Amino acid sequence: MTKRAPIFLAIDCDDLEVALSWVKATQNSVYGFKMGLEFFATFGSEGVRRITDLTDAELFLDLKLHDIPNTVSAATRAVSDLKPRFLTVHAAGGAAMVRAAASAGPNIDIAAVTILTSLSSTDLSDIGFKSNPLESAVRLAQLAVSAGARAIICSPLEISAIRTAVGADVSIITPGVRPSSSGSDDQQRTMDPKSAISEGANYLVMGRPITSAWTEGFSALQDRAATIAAELI
Ligand code: C5P
């Protein structure tokens, strides 16, 4: 088997047959596939299973759970059968909620989302946060790890501060990554893949820089994924 780059490909797609083709075209290049709320709301567990039946690559279920501990615990148990490597929860749900997810899914690496990158300093202050986005993200990362999270999702610009705060054993996963050859789409503060890994990220989440090649066909997508992966392995 060829070595795969530490990339989770974001399956942001409303056509399941197309999503399956993306997986076939890229599975030898990327480490795994990220399916989020949109995918899950559209295709449900059955859709996720169609993908995981096709590949032995890892599953990153990005459901960003945020509810009372009992509900998060039940939701974590409900998706355990899908055997995700990572499942996201919001660190702002509090230590008891993160702990509930971690104990309901002992074989899943619970990945905590700290501060959504869509929130500005003003937004944070409006919802009652006293510190700036970076300080808030570091504090939430520490809280989540103490409560049993084994991974943190953060922006490329937060990798280094969060790595220092949580230590070497926690996986850091970052979206907002753009190879220098591609545009930034709607991502504001991006970093190229190699720099994000040198900053301390373990895994990158990438979507459009790879999947945009699909408009030119299966082989173009296969080549794009292999080229981007080759820069990292
Ligand atoms: O296409 P692109 O590479 O921008 O996709 C990035 C993926 O990561 C998308 O699924 C997006 O929802 C997700 N994401 C992000 N920024 C965050 C959190 C998640 O881009 N702060």
Side-chain angles (χ1 to χ4, degrees):
M1 193 182 72
T2 44
K3 198 162 184 294
R4 294 163 172 170
I7 296 171
F8 279 93
L9 184 72
I11 306 289
D12 296 326
C13 177
D14 60 7
D15 180 327
L16 189 53
E17 294 310 315
V18 171
L20 292 166
S21 296
W22 287 3
V23 171
K24 285 185 198 150
T26 60
Q27 62 175 331
N28 290 328
S29 300
V30 303
Y31 188 77
F33 296 97
K34 180 181 91 82
M35 272 148 270
L37 265 182
E38 184 186 344
F39 185 99
F40 203 72
T42 310
F43 303 115
S45 298
E46 236 359 87
V48 175
R49 255 188 218 105
R50 292 278 307 277
I51 303 263
T52 52
D53 282 350
L54 250 193
T55 177
D56 64 354
E58 304 246 14
L59 167 65
F60 174 171
L61 212 43
D62 187 17
L63 301 184
K64 295 193 176 68
L65 302 177
H66 190 169
D67 210 314
I68 59 169
N70 188 53
T71 301
V72 167
S73 171
T76 304
R77 262 197 308 281
V79 298
S80 289
D81 278 358
L82 297 171
K83 299 193 169 38
R85 161 77 192 279
F86 294 109
L87 169 69
T88 50
V89 303
H90 273 284
M97 189 206 79
V98 175
R99 209 172 290 120
S103 61
N107 299 320
I108 304 172
D109 283 353
I110 298 299
V113 175
T114 55
I115 301 289
L116 293 173
T117 47
S118 52
L119 295 174
S120 67
S121 300
T122 312
D123 293 325
L124 281 189
S125 137
D126 287 348
I127 56 175
F129 278 67
K130 295 202 176 64
S131 35
N132 65 41
L134 179 63
E135 282 168 21
S136 302
V138 167
R139 187 170 42 77
L140 285 166
Q142 285 171 316
L143 174 144
V145 167
S146 306
R150 292 198 288 259
I152 298 293
I153 317 294
C154 67
S155 104
L157 305 182
E158 294 163 352
I159 297 169
S160 149
I162 288 184
R163 173 61 73 207
T164 304
V166 300
D169 294 342
V170 173
S171 296
I172 293 185
I173 309 173
T174 185
V177 179
R178 287 292 178 270
S180 44
S181 55
S182 89
S184 62
D185 299 307
D186 53 357
Q187 300 280 10
Q188 302 296 328
R189 294 171 301 155
T190 63
M191 192 177 278
D192 71 89
K194 261 195 153 149
S195 306
I197 296 288
S198 336
E199 284 283 305
N202 300 90
Y203 301 101
L204 314 176
V205 171
M206 286 174 82
R208 291 162 293 178
I210 295 175
T211 56
S212 61
W214 174 247
T215 53
E216 293 153 47
F218 187 91
S219 303
L221 176 56
Q222 212 168 19
D223 292 347
R224 175 81 61 83
T227 304
I228 290 178
E231 285 174 30
L232 291 172
I233 48 185

